[in-house]
Amino acid sequence: MERTGLLHLYYGDGKGKTTAAMGLALRALGSGKKVVVLQFLKGGQSGEIPLLEQLGAKIYRGKAGQKFVFQMNEAEKAATRDLQNRNLAAAMTEDADLLVLDEAGSAWELDMVDKALLQKAVLARPAAQECVLTAHAAPQWMLDAADYVTEMKCCRHPYQRGIAARKGIEY
């Protein structure tokens, strides 16, 4: 069967990767499509999640605790890795028109997901399933496989001036 679902990659050090992915999820939901979102390494509530759920998206997210990976001990890393793998395996069983794998690049880079399972989720997904990946630093296989590649480059950001993330804007 010919592949009709394309692969989108939003990556880079600029703001907007998750925002773009969630905007596409909203567009798909508004067109009656089934959407599954998996957010790797994100635990806190962010503004788009309740609304996407209300509109029918299936959301998988969380990590074992609220620490950044670099702050975790080995047991916490193992628990988070296990949660990420379970979430990914569950997301792969969903009948989705659009699969969003937010922070897939970071999960890959930080070895917080079974790499073979992540590649299978992306490269062996159903032929009609659209897929979105976000990454700070995209591994080469993601760059090679993607049909859409958008690099977000930070030219200026309020955080550089000491302005903290604001509810409803950055999260």
Side-chain angles (χ1 to χ4, degrees):
M1 178 180 202
E2 184 180 336
R3 175 162 296 286
T4 57
L6 302 181
L7 181 60
H8 307 241
L9 173 61
Y10 306 131
Y11 80 102
D13 65 356
K15 181 188 180 322
K17 299 175 291 290
T18 297
T19 303
M22 297 309 157
L24 188 57
L26 182 62
R27 177 178 285 167
L29 287 164
S31 296
K33 301 206 179 280
K34 296 176 194 159
V35 175
V36 173
V37 175
L38 190 162
Q39 290 191 305
F40 292 100
L41 305 175
K42 290 187 176 177
Q45 191 67 287
S46 92
E48 69 276 7
I49 298 304
L51 183 57
L52 288 170
E53 287 178 323
Q54 286 175 24
L55 294 173
K58 177 70 177 178
I59 310 290
Y60 294 92
R61 64 192 324 262
K63 59 184 174 181
Q66 294 303 312
K67 294 179 182 176
F68 291 108
V69 173
F70 73 88
Q71 297 169 319
M72 293 178 184
N73 62 37
E74 288 308 312
E76 292 166 328
K77 286 180 184 178
T80 297
R81 192 176 297 111
D82 180 60
L83 176 60
Q84 304 308 304
N85 290 334
R86 283 186 281 120
N87 282 346
L88 181 56
M92 290 169 66
T93 68
E94 299 283 348
D95 178 28
D97 298 307
L98 173 64
L99 175 63
V100 176
L101 300 174
D102 189 30
E103 294 294 349
S106 294
W108 177 277
E109 180 183 0
L110 297 169
D111 197 29
M112 296 305 291
V113 66
D114 179 317
K115 291 181 175 182
L117 185 63
L118 179 56
Q119 284 185 309
K120 180 180 177 184
V122 174
L123 302 176
R125 69 188 190 281
Q129 187 179 76
E130 205 82 7
C131 183
V132 177
L133 304 171
T134 70
H136 184 78
Q140 192 62 49
W141 72 268
M142 289 182 185
L143 289 163
D144 293 342
D147 298 292
Y148 297 87
V149 176
T150 302
E151 182 178 7
M152 310 289 199
K153 181 175 177 7
C154 183
C155 297
R156 181 179 305 125
H157 195 289
Y159 184 77
Q160 296 163 332
R161 297 189 335 246
I163 298 173
R166 297 160 300 148
K167 184 173 179 63
I169 304 299
E170 285 86 19
Y171 70 94

Coordinates of all heavy atoms in Angstrom, one line a residue, residues 5-11 21 24 98-99 101 122 125 129-134 142 145-150:
G5 N 0.2 9.0 4.5 CA 0.4 9.7 5.8 C 1.9 10.2 5.8 O 2.8 9.3 5.6
L6 N 2.1 11.5 5.9 CA 3.5 12.0 5.8 C 4.1 12.2 7.2 O 3.3 12.3 8.2 CB 3.5 13.3 5.0 CG 2.9 13.1 3.5 CD1 3.0 14.4 2.8 CD2 3.7 12.0 2.8
L7 N 5.4 12.5 7.2 CA 6.1 12.7 8.4 C 6.6 14.1 8.5 O 7.3 14.6 7.6 CB 7.3 11.7 8.5 CG 8.2 11.8 9.7 CD1 7.4 11.5 11.0 CD2 9.4 10.8 9.6
H8 N 6.2 14.8 9.6 CA 6.6 16.2 9.9 C 7.6 16.2 11.0 O 7.5 15.5 12.0 CB 5.4 17.0 10.4 CG 4.1 16.9 9.5 ND1 3.6 18.0 9.0 CD2 3.4 15.8 9.2 CE1 2.5 17.6 8.3 NE2 2.3 16.3 8.4
L9 N 8.6 17.0 10.8 CA 9.7 17.2 11.8 C 9.8 18.7 12.1 O 10.1 19.5 11.2 CB 11.0 16.6 11.4 CG 12.2 16.8 12.3 CD1 12.0 16.2 13.7 CD2 13.5 16.3 11.6
Y10 N 9.6 19.1 13.3 CA 9.8 20.4 13.8 C 11.0 20.4 14.8 O 10.8 19.7 15.8 CB 8.6 21.0 14.5 CG 7.3 21.0 13.6 CD1 6.1 20.5 14.2 CD2 7.3 21.4 12.3 CE1 5.0 20.5 13.4 CE2 6.1 21.4 11.6 CZ 5.0 20.9 12.1 OH 3.8 20.8 11.4
Y11 N 12.1 21.0 14.5 CA 13.2 20.9 15.4 C 14.0 22.2 15.5 O 13.8 23.1 14.7 CB 14.1 19.7 14.9 CG 15.1 20.1 13.8 CD1 16.4 20.4 14.1 CD2 14.6 20.2 12.5 CE1 17.3 20.7 13.0 CE2 15.5 20.5 11.5 CZ 16.8 20.8 11.7 OH 17.6 21.2 10.7
A21 N 3.0 21.6 16.5 CA 2.5 20.3 16.5 C 1.1 20.2 17.1 O 0.2 19.6 16.5 CB 3.4 19.4 17.4
L24 N -1.4 21.6 14.5 CA -1.8 20.6 13.5 C -2.8 19.6 14.2 O -3.7 19.2 13.5 CB -0.6 19.9 13.0 CG -0.8 18.9 11.8 CD1 -1.5 19.7 10.7 CD2 0.5 18.3 11.4
L98 N -3.6 10.9 13.1 CA -2.5 11.8 13.3 C -1.8 11.3 14.7 O -2.5 11.3 15.7 CB -2.9 13.2 13.4 CG -1.8 14.2 13.9 CD1 -0.6 14.3 12.9 CD2 -2.3 15.6 14.1
L99 N -0.5 11.0 14.6 CA 0.2 10.7 15.8 C 1.3 11.8 16.0 O 2.1 12.0 15.2 CB 0.9 9.3 15.6 CG 1.8 8.9 16.8 CD1 1.1 8.7 18.1 CD2 2.6 7.6 16.4
L101 N 4.4 12.9 18.3 CA 5.4 12.4 19.2 C 6.3 13.6 19.6 O 7.3 13.9 19.0 CB 6.2 11.3 18.6 CG 5.5 10.1 18.2 CD1 6.3 9.1 17.4 CD2 4.8 9.4 19.4
V122 N 7.5 5.3 14.2 CA 7.6 6.3 13.1 C 7.7 5.6 11.7 O 6.9 6.0 10.8 CB 8.8 7.2 13.4 CG1 9.0 8.2 12.2 CG2 8.7 8.0 14.7
R125 N 4.7 2.8 10.9 CA 3.3 3.2 11.3 C 2.4 2.9 10.1 O 2.9 2.7 9.0 CB 3.3 4.7 11.6 CG 3.5 5.6 10.5 CD 3.6 7.1 10.9 NE 3.6 8.0 9.8 CZ 4.6 8.2 9.0 NH1 5.8 7.6 9.2 NH2 4.5 9.0 7.9
Q129 N -1.3 7.0 8.2 CA -1.1 7.8 9.5 C -0.1 8.9 9.3 O 1.0 8.6 8.9 CB -0.7 6.9 10.6 CG -0.7 7.6 12.0 CD -0.3 6.6 13.1 OE1 0.9 6.3 13.2 NE2 -1.3 6.1 13.8
E130 N -0.6 10.1 9.5 CA 0.3 11.3 9.6 C 1.0 11.3 10.9 O 0.5 10.8 11.9 CB -0.6 12.5 9.4 CG 0.1 13.7 8.9 CD 0.2 13.8 7.4 OE1 -0.4 12.9 6.7 OE2 0.9 14.7 6.9
C131 N 2.3 11.7 10.9 CA 3.0 11.7 12.2 C 3.8 13.0 12.3 O 4.4 13.5 11.3 CB 4.0 10.5 12.2 SG 4.9 10.2 13.7
V132 N 3.9 13.5 13.5 CA 4.7 14.7 13.8 C 5.7 14.4 14.9 O 5.3 13.8 15.9 CB 3.8 15.9 14.3 CG1 4.6 17.1 14.6 CG2 2.7 16.2 13.3
L133 N 6.9 14.8 14.6 CA 8.0 14.6 15.6 C 8.5 16.0 16.0 O 8.6 16.9 15.1 CB 9.2 13.9 15.0 CG 8.9 12.5 14.4 CD1 10.1 12.0 13.7 CD2 8.5 11.5 15.5
T134 N 8.8 16.3 17.2 CA 9.5 17.5 17.6 C 10.8 17.1 18.3 O 10.9 16.0 18.9 CB 8.6 18.4 18.6 OG1 8.5 17.8 19.8 CG2 7.3 18.7 18.0
M142 N 15.7 10.9 11.7 CA 14.5 11.7 11.6 C 14.6 12.6 10.4 O 13.6 12.8 9.7 CB 14.2 12.4 12.9 CG 13.8 11.5 14.1 SD 13.5 12.6 15.5 CE 13.2 11.3 16.8
A145 N 14.1 10.7 7.2 CA 12.8 10.1 6.9 C 11.7 11.1 6.7 O 10.7 10.8 6.1 CB 12.4 9.2 8.1
A146 N 11.8 12.4 7.2 CA 10.8 13.3 7.3 C 10.4 13.9 5.9 O 11.3 14.1 5.0 CB 11.1 14.5 8.2
D147 N 9.1 14.0 5.6 CA 8.6 14.7 4.4 C 8.6 16.2 4.5 O 8.8 16.9 3.6 CB 7.2 14.2 4.1 CG 7.2 12.7 3.9 OD1 7.7 12.2 2.9 OD2 6.7 11.9 4.7
Y148 N 8.3 16.7 5.7 CA 8.4 18.1 6.1 C 9.5 18.3 7.1 O 9.5 17.6 8.1 CB 7.1 18.6 6.7 CG 5.8 18.5 6.0 CD1 5.0 17.3 6.0 CD2 5.3 19.6 5.3 CE1 3.8 17.3 5.3 CE2 4.1 19.5 4.6 CZ 3.3 18.4 4.7 OH 2.1 18.3 4.0
V149 N 10.4 19.2 6.9 CA 11.4 19.5 7.9 C 11.4 21.0 8.1 O 11.7 21.7 7.2 CB 12.8 19.0 7.4 CG1 13.9 19.4 8.5 CG2 12.9 17.5 7.2
T150 N 11.1 21.4 9.3 CA 11.1 22.8 9.7 C 12.0 23.0 10.9 O 11.9 22.4 11.9 CB 9.7 23.3 10.1 OG1 8.8 23.0 9.0 CG2 9.7 24.7 10.4

